[in-house]
Amino acid sequence: MTARWLALSGGVGGAKLVLGLADTLPDPRRLTVIANTGDDFEHLGLAICPDLDTLMYTLAGVASPATGWGRADETGTFMQALARLGGETWFHLGDADLATHVERTRRLAAGESLSVATRALAARFGIVAEILPMSDDPVRTVIVTGDRELAFQHYFVRERCEPPVRAIRFEGAAQAKPAPDVLARLADPDLAGIVIAPSNPLISIDPILAVPGLEAAIATAGRPVIAVSPIIGGEALKGPTAKMLRELGAEASVVGIARHYRDLVDGLVIDQVDGALASAVEALGLAVHIAPTVMRTLDDKRTLARAVVGFASTLTRRRD
Ligand code: FO1
C-alpha cells in the first residue's frame, strides 16, 4: 500500500502546500487534509465554510489567484443586486462561489453531515485527495478584543483584523467530536507523517487541535509531525499571524512558532531568510529543515512539498 500522509490546514497559505503535496505524492488519494472549520459561519442564511472551500478550489485549480479565496473568473451580479437592496455586503460572495454555499446549505438542511456534504462537493470538483472537516459539530472561533467579543469573520473581514486581540476562544470545541474518519486516518498503520501546513497557528491550527481527542491522536500516531512556519523573516506573507502573535505576547518569529508547537511537532521547516535562527529552534528540542518556503508558483509548492516529505522521512517520532 502506498504511504498515507495527513495534513492539518487552514485556508490560503496552507492550501498552497496541500496542493504541492497532492501534486507530488505518489498517490494523492492517500492524502487526507483535516481542515479548520472555526472560521465557518452562517451568513445571509447560508452555511459558509471558507477554509474547506479554499482547499477545495485550490486543489481543483479554480481558486482566485488574486485573493487565494473565492473563485477565479468570478462575477459579482449577486453582490451588486444585494447592495442595491441595502443588504449586507461586507463579506463578498461571488456568483459561482455562491452556488457552493447554496448547495452545502441545502445538503445540511436535508440532514447530511458537513463531512458528507464536503465529500460530495469535492467529488464534483474532481478532487481525489480527501478533505475532512475537523468536526461535523459547530466550532466557532471568537476573538476577544479590548471591550468586545467578535465572531471570527466579523473580526477578520468586517473589522479587517484591526482590533487588538486579547484572547481567542473556540466556542463549541469542548463538545465537538472529531469528524468520522479523522481518528481512523490518524491510526492508519500506513500513515507516514503528519504535516502542519503554514497556516496561522492561533486561528487555523489551534481550533483543529481544540477538538477533544484530536491532539492526543496526533501525539500517539507514532509518526513524525512536521510543521512549516507561516512566519518568514518576522512577518507572515499574508494575514494577521505576526500581529496576533505579538498582541498575545508571543514572539513573531520562527522561534515563536517553534515554542507554540514544541509539545506536538518533531521538526520545523523554516525559510532560508531565518537560517540564523535554526539553532534557537533546535535548542527547543525540534529538528530544523531550511528550505525556500515562499510558494508563488506551482513549482514552488511542489518543491516545498518534496522538502517536507523528505524531511519527515529523516525523522522518527521522538516524543513517544
Ligand atoms: N476574505 C476577505 O478578506 N473578504 C471577503 O469578503 C471574503 C469573502 C469570502 C467568501 C468566501 C470564502 O470562502 C472566503 C472569503 N474570505 C474573505 C476569506 C475568509 O475570510 C477566510 O476565512 C480567511 O481568509 C481566513 O482563512
Side-chain angles (χ1 to χ4, degrees):
M1 238 335 164
T2 329
R4 176 181 294 284
W5 285 84
L6 201 137
L8 272 51
S9 181
V12 181
K16 290 183 180 181
L17 179 61
V18 169
L19 175 59
L21 288 166
D23 239 52
T24 50
L25 286 171
D27 185 356
R29 289 170 303 181
R30 306 276 289 160
L31 171 66
T32 296
V33 189
I34 302 180
N36 169 42
T37 58
D39 293 13
D40 295 7
F41 73 140
E42 187 172 305
H43 185 58
L44 309 176
L46 300 171
I48 316 255
C49 303
D51 289 354
L52 283 172
D53 289 349
T54 298
L55 283 161
M56 194 165 71
Y57 295 158
T58 303
L59 286 174
V62 301
S64 160
T67 56
W69 51 264
R71 294 188 54 164
D73 306 321
E74 195 44 295
T75 52
T77 305
F78 167 70
M79 274 285 129
Q80 285 158 17
L82 187 63
R84 219 167 290 133
L85 296 172
E88 259 189 82
T89 54
W90 59 270
F91 194 81
H92 188 88
L93 296 174
D95 296 333
D97 185 35
L98 185 61
T100 304
H101 311 306
V102 169
E103 175 58 7
R104 177 192 295 113
T105 305
R106 182 193 71 75
R107 286 176 175 274
L108 295 177
E112 272 183 24
S113 66
L114 182 58
S115 38
V116 168
T118 302
R119 202 175 282 282
L121 293 172
R124 287 282 171 169
F125 278 100
I127 295 167
V128 296
E130 179 177 49
I131 304 174
L132 297 178
M134 63 195 201
S135 178
D136 282 339
D137 304 317
V139 176
R140 297 291 174 258
T141 298
V142 175
I143 308 290
V144 183
T145 70
D147 50 357
R148 287 175 305 162
E149 296 209 336
L150 295 171
F152 179 77
Q153 296 296 346
H154 287 213
Y155 162 79
F156 197 91
V157 176
R158 203 186 63 193
E159 310 237 348
R160 295 181 298 277
C161 309
E162 282 163 6
V165 179
R166 289 256 179 87
I168 303 171
R169 288 194 293 111
F170 307 117
E171 226 164 65
Q175 296 80 42
K177 290 180 296 303
D181 295 338
V182 166
L183 296 182
R185 297 296 176 266
L186 282 162
D188 186 336
D190 294 326
L191 183 65
I194 299 163
V195 178
I196 300 182
S199 298
N200 184 324
L202 303 169
I203 52 172
S204 298
I205 304 299
D206 282 359
I208 302 177
L209 301 175
V211 176
L214 228 149
E215 186 166 0
I218 294 171
T220 55
R223 295 293 181 271
V225 185
I226 308 297
V228 179
S229 175
I231 295 284
I232 302 176
E235 287 300 332
L237 285 181
K238 190 172 186 287
T241 309
K243 173 181 179 280
M244 294 179 93
L245 283 167
R246 285 191 291 264
E247 286 168 354
L248 290 169
E251 201 177 302
S253 73
V254 293
V255 178
I257 298 297
R259 281 204 192 100
H260 190 84
Y261 287 138
R262 67 185 296 187
D263 293 334
L264 185 67
V265 312
D266 301 296
L268 184 67
V269 178
I270 65 173
D271 192 78
Q272 288 154 320
V273 303
D274 292 310
L277 294 171
S279 52
V281 173
E282 281 163 352
L284 293 165
L286 304 187
V288 175
H289 183 77
I290 302 172
T293 63
V294 180
M295 294 174 281
R296 294 214 172 84
T297 64
L298 180 58
D299 222 39
D300 295 340
K301 298 174 182 77
R302 286 181 171 150
T303 304
L304 181 57
R306 279 196 206 100
V308 169
V309 166
F311 179 40
S313 313
T314 67
L315 299 176
T316 47
R317 178 81 180 147
R318 295 174 308 159
R319 275 151 223 286
D320 293 332

